Amino acid sequence: MAQVSKDMTIAEIISVDQNIIPILLASGMHCIGCPSSQGESLEEAAMVHGMDPDQLLDSINEYLATK
């Protein structure tokens, strides 16, 4: 089973499963296509958007656990 971590970049996370994109968008992270966001870690991107990185990480890993 694949899992992601807070230190993975957005590009790395999307490469694990492109179906993670809707999770990121639904959480309010609308800059997924922005080139600078691709190099940010999940934790950095969450903090920039005022999100709890642990909560976002849990949502993504819960999705991956269902695959």
Side-chain angles (χ1 to χ4, degrees), residues 10-25:
I10 298 299
E12 291 171 329
I13 291 169
I14 292 171
S15 72
V16 170
D17 186 327
Q18 289 201 347
N19 291 317
I20 293 172
I21 294 172
I23 297 169
L24 297 172
L25 292 172

